[in-house]
Amino acid sequence: MGATRIAFARAAARAGVLGSIAAVVFLLAGLGTAVVDSLAGSSTSGLRDGLAAATGTDGAVRWQIRVARDPEAQADAAASVLDRMLVPHGVAWSRSVETAPVDARHGDDPLAAVLLADDGVPGRSELVSGSWPGDADALVAAAADDAMPATLHAGAATALGLAPGDVVELADGDGPRRLVVVGTWRPLDPNEPAWFGEPIVASGAIEGGVGPFVVGDEALVDLPAATVVRWTALVDPPAMTASVATQLRAALPNVEPALRAEEAIGTDGLGASGGLASTLDRLLAGLGAVRAITPLPVLLLAFSGFAALDRLAALLGASRRGETVLLRARGASPWRLAGDAAIEVVVVGIPAAAAGAVAATGLLALVRPGEERSWPVALLAASVALAGALLLTAGRTWRDATRPVVRGAGDEVGRMPRAALAGGVVVVAVAAAVSLWQFRLYGSPLVTGASGALEVDVVAVLAPVLLLLALSLAALGLTRPIGGLLERAAGRRPGLVPALPMRQLARRAGLYSSASFVAMLGVSGLTLTAVFAGSWQALDAEAAAIRTGGEVRVAYAGRDLVRGEDPDALVDPFAAVDDVSASVPVVRGEARIGSDPTTIVAVPAAELAGVAPGVGAAADATALAALAAAGESIAPALPPGAEAVTAAVRIEAPAGTPGTVAVSAWVLGAGGAASRLAAGDVDVASGGGITRAVLPDAPGLRLLGFEAALAGSQGAAPVTVEIGDVGVDGAGDAGAEPGGLAVTGTAELSATSPSGRIRTSGSPAEPVPVLLGAELAARIRAHPGDPLAFRLLTGGADVDAVVAGVVPAVPGVGDAGILADLGTLSGAAFDADAGVPATTEAWLASPEPERVAAALERDRTTALATSTRDDASSAPLIGPAVAALWAGAAGALLFALIAVVALVAALARTRFGEVVVLRALGTPARLQARARFAELAAALSAAAVIGILIGAVTAFATARELARASVAGTPGALPVAAHVAWLPWAAGLVAFLVLSATVGAVAAASVRREASRPGLREEER
């Protein structure tokens, strides 16, 4: 018989084992492809979704400076820099020019107009009426009026009473410059990053100005107002990848210096702003967390899969032991036999590896159709699976062929392989120790690289899997001594069972080693995954709650300061929304402590626990009580049923002083949000009068004070305003004056200081009690009781505060923010004669947050954006990685099951003679079956228990740190508690044990069937 025919005959005789090897290669290639490719695809999708979800300044970056004397040269120089530094990284930029408020007049009515030249406005807006300034009919209409065409914001047009055809005259040193309104417009989405969160775009007004009037560049030349040119950069989310985002993040800080280096641009006042860099940091940190987790399922699959292949290779060698002895005796070399085995693996492995990779890629394409698939990943996974099977099978065959030709030589591991195994265990143990030390040193597999970005440490990231592997190998090395102890213990008991199973386990430890190792590795991987997944889910939920504040966060566009009556500040706008159980107004803004920037959040402290229970500072009831107490005493309460507030105004001014004094009443809503209510105008010449401010129908109103504003004085002498006799209409008896509403002090008004405020008898919170996030407190070295001074960038109020407490995290900000009571902060800004911040957000509590958010977005009548804790979760990025880790653990258990099947087949071959002998000695077939089942059950039960312990130890050492690394931006002071995802862990473990028991039962039934055959002989094998 020729060599080729012999090779074919040998392969056909072991088709079952070769088929099992092909099955493992198929699974290894398929699972490897699925895990790596799905993580790569989901990471890219998560990055793109995160960028697409960014709104306002979070999704853009802007550089601005005053318009140069040569605007064209300035524009060309900026275009050269931006095209060179940003466009290659998937960024589109646009140029716009905007003025500060310009004195203007419509007829006899004065106004302050904000002009905007931006070619991108028509693409982001809708025309309410008329046309755009560049349209032909607009140019014709403007020429007829000897004016320049302008399209006005619809909100500003309504407030000013302007319509297409009206003419506005701008103040100009060379004479009036005329604008004709040719249309009105409204932004499609004020939250779009291209608008950069500008309040005037959303509302049509800013402090001291209205607009914007969209005009051509020629309308802005030589205007007597500060004119600023802005370059706004936006990313294209569908074109973004992790590598491009990393390059872009590295390039952004270099743009401003490059612009400064261009002489034509200028350097005076050049500044950069926007949150795109922070958004990229957050998303790239999430991608880094994915990279930190990716090696876990991949290595878990690799080790368990290759261990199963090794067990199958051993089974193939053992089943061919007789053939090997015969062929060696006839002159076949070990290299030839190893080559034949390699050819067999190639023949069955190439189709299996290709099929596994293709099947995984096709399944991913069906399940996740929007993601790009990577065929190189599939090719790599298939190649590794095939190469592993090839090397293990050929190596095992070569080793079997070089063993001494003695009976039973293939059943046990010899001294040299045993020594090599011990050396390998030592190497793995040392590697695990070094990796774990580095992991614990950094506290994470992520480290900050030289560029400042988070990078995966290639040593620390291996710690969890290497620790699993080292402990599993160590446990495997103890199987012989432990088996000997069990054998001696069982030998003292009467009966064949358990003495025979324990004796077999002790004497055949090498035969059980591979299956036990894979089982321990699979169960330990499952346990580590369960602890990590549970801890990550708990931490992610808490971190998402801190970022969002309430269960639903509603962010208003274009709100900065209180400028007039704000009904939503006094009446809960969400009271009638289904499934909303509570809501609170929120002010979020930027502040500076000296030169340190920070974020401040002001909420009704007494109600915070109701909308954000247990979240950050909401969990500190004592500290919140201090804030709430200050908020309650900030202003006297108006009686229930009050319809209006009246006040007597006295004006002292030199005779003949012209002008009027406009009086406003400042009130706080139940949550502390402020609103300014018009009370009427009093002529200076009249010496005073009675003013009346109508109150909205809202509960819990408090009177903060009054504001007087002088107009039309024409630079005359100062005017003194005194307010007294404060009364309330509609509360009980008409004209009843409740106690506590007395007003003290006067306001000195003049042309240079035209407005002033007068406080009621409430107790100003000086200093204002605040809570600090732990990181901010550590940075500025602040402790409870310390004084603190900061400035609100919105409104410019200088606030004197006291640290009432330090908390791990401030809701809505994190560990680097300030928390204050909303009413207290409103009162402090009022007392400082500064702008009083308007509510920028609302936090809602709801049992159905997703449905509430969708309903608010669908039915909105104002510019707002909603988000829930699910939107703030890291699940879009980390969820697929956790699922991949579960898949890796499941794959390891599947490979362990295959190893068990191979073990059963090996036991059936090597112990057929034992069945014959025991039958000859009178041992019943049923008892032999019980003994075999008990043997397998004991081995696998011990492996499962040891695997659980190994997984628990590894989880104790690494799981919480992995969970923290997986949730980017988690406050450092926020503890990570260990949690276990019990349901999937129990399901996976029970499924493995049940299937293994089924395999054992089938093996026991086979033993019973063999032992029951009449006339059974050893030669019948």
Side-chain angles (χ1 to χ4, degrees):
M1 181 180 292
T4 303
R5 293 182 62 189
I6 291 175
F8 274 111
R10 294 185 70 207
R14 308 301 173 201
V17 181
L18 292 174
S20 298
I21 292 175
V24 173
V25 171
F26 173 85
L27 291 173
L28 199 53
L31 289 173
T33 300
V35 167
V36 177
D37 200 4
S38 65
L39 288 180
S42 63
S43 297
T44 302
S45 297
L47 172 65
R48 293 171 178 174
D49 291 344
L51 291 172
T55 60
T57 58
D58 290 339
V61 61
R62 173 176 284 180
W63 299 269
Q64 65 181 37
I65 192 173
R66 286 179 177 269
V67 173
R69 294 182 180 275
D70 187 348
E72 292 185 3
Q74 184 184 45
D76 291 341
S80 175
V81 171
L82 299 177
D83 286 344
R84 182 179 73 252
M85 301 187 68
L86 295 182
V87 173
H89 304 307
V91 172
W93 60 271
S94 61
R95 176 182 178 272
S96 61
V97 182
E98 188 175 75
T99 69
V102 180
D103 289 337
R105 182 172 297 277
H106 170 57
D108 294 331
D109 298 327
L111 59 97
V114 175
L115 277 59
L116 172 66
D118 185 350
D119 294 337
V121 170
R124 305 190 299 269
S125 312
E126 62 176 348
L127 271 174
V128 178
S129 62
S131 57
W132 294 107
D135 294 346
D137 55 343
L139 296 174
V140 171
D145 287 318
D146 191 21
M148 297 181 180
T151 305
L152 178 59
H153 189 290
T158 301
L160 297 173
L162 296 177
D166 290 339
V167 175
V168 174
E169 292 186 353
L170 305 177
D172 194 336
D174 298 329
R177 184 177 307 192
R178 293 161 55 86
L179 295 179
V180 59
V181 178
V182 296
T184 58
W185 63 278
R186 181 183 295 115
L188 293 172
D189 182 5
N191 294 306
E192 187 179 349
W195 293 117
F196 211 68
E198 293 186 77
I200 195 170
V201 172
S203 62
I206 57 171
E207 186 72 15
V210 292
F213 290 79
V214 177
V215 297
D217 286 333
E218 65 279 0
L220 305 179
V221 177
D222 296 331
L223 272 178
T227 305
V228 175
V229 57
R230 300 96 53 91
W231 296 276
T232 305
L234 307 172
V235 297
D236 181 17
M240 195 58 57
T241 63
S243 61
V244 172
T246 302
Q247 295 167 6
L248 173 60
R249 180 61 185 90
L252 285 178
N254 301 323
V255 175
E256 183 178 348
L259 291 172
R260 289 183 182 276
E262 295 289 337
E263 185 177 352
I265 293 178
T267 59
D268 184 21
L270 178 65
S273 58
L276 180 59
S278 298
T279 300
L280 287 173
D281 284 339
R282 175 176 57 83
L283 294 173
L284 290 174
L287 295 183
V290 173
R291 292 196 300 273
I293 299 171
T294 299
L296 273 66
V298 173
L299 293 178
L300 194 59
L301 284 171
F303 285 128
S304 57
F306 290 153
L309 284 172
D310 181 69
R311 182 65 261 173
L312 290 171
L315 175 60
L316 181 63
S319 65
R320 287 177 167 175
R321 183 59 181 162
E323 300 172 13
T324 302
V325 171
L326 180 60
L327 291 173
R328 289 282 286 125
R330 292 185 176 182
S333 69
W335 290 108
R336 176 191 161 189
L337 295 177
D340 290 343
I343 292 173
E344 292 171 347
V345 172
V346 167
V347 170
V348 301
I350 288 180
V358 170
T361 303
L363 182 61
L364 288 176
L366 290 175
V367 174
R368 309 176 79 158
E371 297 177 358
E372 297 178 3
R373 303 271 67 89
S374 176
W375 286 105
V377 168
L379 179 61
L380 179 63
S383 300
V384 170
L386 180 61
L390 185 66
L391 293 175
L392 287 171
T393 306
R396 175 73 72 164
T397 302
W398 182 87
R399 194 176 70 182
D400 287 344
T402 56
R403 284 187 181 180
V405 185
V406 295
R407 183 179 179 85
D411 296 344
E412 293 293 342
V413 179
R415 291 182 180 178
M416 290 300 294
R418 226 178 259 168
L421 178 62
V425 171
V426 171
V427 171
V428 171
V430 171
V434 172
S435 181
L436 181 62
W437 173 81
Q438 192 145 324
F439 182 94
R440 302 293 298 179
L441 176 66
Y442 296 145
S444 166
L446 299 175
V447 295
T448 302
S451 64
L454 284 178
E455 299 175 354
V456 177
D457 184 87
V458 294
V459 176
V461 75
L462 300 176
V465 174
L466 285 180
L467 188 56
L468 288 179
L469 185 61
L471 293 177
S472 298
L473 288 173
L476 194 63
L478 298 175
T479 54
R480 286 181 181 274
I482 293 176
L485 293 175
L486 293 176
E487 177 187 4
R488 285 192 292 273
R492 299 189 185 100
R493 299 182 61 184
L496 187 64
V497 180
L500 179 61
M502 294 301 102
R503 185 172 292 113
Q504 292 294 343
L505 285 177
R507 294 181 178 180
R508 300 179 183 273
L511 202 59
Y512 280 92
S513 61
S514 293
S516 297
F517 171 72
V518 183
M520 283 188 287
L521 196 59
V523 173
S524 61
L526 182 71
T527 304
L528 172 62
T529 301
V531 178
F532 164 70
S535 302
W536 165 72
Q537 288 172 347
L539 179 64
D540 180 63
E542 190 168 3
I546 289 173
R547 292 191 191 99
T548 308
E551 290 168 318
V552 180
R553 174 177 171 240
V554 181
Y556 303 111
R559 294 172 63 94
D560 50 4
L561 298 175
V562 177
R563 297 188 175 86
E565 183 175 355
D566 186 358
D568 289 344
L570 306 179
V571 179
D572 184 1
F574 307 102
V577 178
D578 292 338
D579 296 317
V580 173
S581 55
S583 68
V584 295
V586 180
V587 167
R588 179 198 300 267
E590 299 302 312
R592 286 194 181 275
I593 304 173
S595 60
D596 290 334
T598 186
T599 301
I600 184 170
V601 168
V603 298
E607 302 177 41
L608 180 59
V611 293
V615 175
D620 193 337
T622 303
L624 280 179
L627 270 63
E632 291 173 358
S633 61
I634 195 67
L638 291 167
E643 297 177 355
V645 172
T646 60
V649 179
R650 291 180 55 198
I651 301 176
E652 295 182 2
T657 300
T660 59
V661 174
V663 179
S664 302
W666 281 82
V667 296
L668 299 179
S675 182
R676 186 171 67 181
L677 308 178
D681 297 340
V682 179
D683 290 333
V684 174
S686 68
I690 302 297
T691 60
R692 185 174 188 271
V694 178
L695 298 173
D697 183 11
L701 296 180
R702 290 175 289 172
L703 182 61
L704 186 60
F706 292 88
E707 180 173 2
L710 177 64
S713 66
Q714 300 177 4
V719 174
T720 301
V721 178
E722 181 181 357
I723 295 178
D725 296 330
V726 178
V728 178
D729 291 346
D733 297 335
E737 182 178 353
L741 297 183
V743 176
T744 58
T746 61
E748 299 290 334
L749 310 181
S750 65
T752 57
S753 182
S755 65
R757 293 171 182 167
I758 306 174
R759 200 63 156 75
T760 57
S761 59
S763 302
E766 292 184 357
V768 175
V770 297
L771 299 182
L772 301 184
E775 195 276 333
L776 176 62
R779 190 171 75 227
I780 64 174
R781 299 179 182 180
H783 302 87
D786 289 352
L788 181 71
F790 59 88
R791 165 170 285 191
L792 298 177
L793 297 189
T794 302
D798 290 315
V799 180
D800 291 325
V802 62
V803 180
V806 176
V807 293
V810 173
V813 179
D815 58 358
I818 303 174
L819 180 70
D821 178 78
L822 178 55
T824 308
L825 187 68
S826 299
F830 180 88
D831 293 337
D833 281 333
V836 178
T839 55
T840 57
E841 299 178 5
W843 292 352
L844 316 181
S846 170
E848 298 288 343
E850 296 295 334
R851 185 163 63 184
V852 168
L856 291 176
E857 289 276 4
R858 183 183 61 249
D859 302 333
R860 62 183 176 181
T861 57
T862 186
L864 59 82
T866 63
S867 60
T868 66
R869 293 177 179 178
D870 286 347
D871 298 325
S873 171
S874 64
L877 282 174
I878 305 300
V882 177
L885 192 52
W886 282 114
L893 291 176
L894 184 59
F895 291 136
L897 192 63
I898 293 175
V900 171
V901 173
L903 171 65
V904 167
L907 291 174
R909 189 198 69 83
T910 59
R911 295 173 61 183
F912 182 79
E914 175 188 313
V915 175
V916 175
V917 173
L918 290 176
R919 166 69 183 276
L921 293 176
T923 304
R926 185 173 184 180
L927 187 58
Q928 289 195 52
R930 282 180 52 204
R932 184 66 61 85
F933 182 82
E935 188 178 318
L936 290 168
L940 293 177
S941 298
V945 171
I946 294 172
I948 292 173
L949 294 176
I950 291 172
V953 170
T954 306
F956 176 79
T958 62
R960 287 175 295 180
E961 288 77 8
L962 281 173
R964 181 179 292 280
S966 300
V967 184
T970 302
L974 194 66
V976 182
H979 291 77
V980 182
W982 291 107
L983 184 59
W985 176 82
L989 184 61
V990 169
F992 170 69
L993 293 177
V994 168
L995 291 174
S996 298
T998 302
V999 173
V1002 172
S1006 177
V1007 170
R1008 182 176 181 181
R1009 187 167 55 252
E1010 291 291 339
S1012 300
R1013 287 170 54 193
L1016 183 66
R1017 297 182 180 182
E1018 167 74 15
E1019 292 79 5
E1020 296 183 16
R1021 269 194 300 183

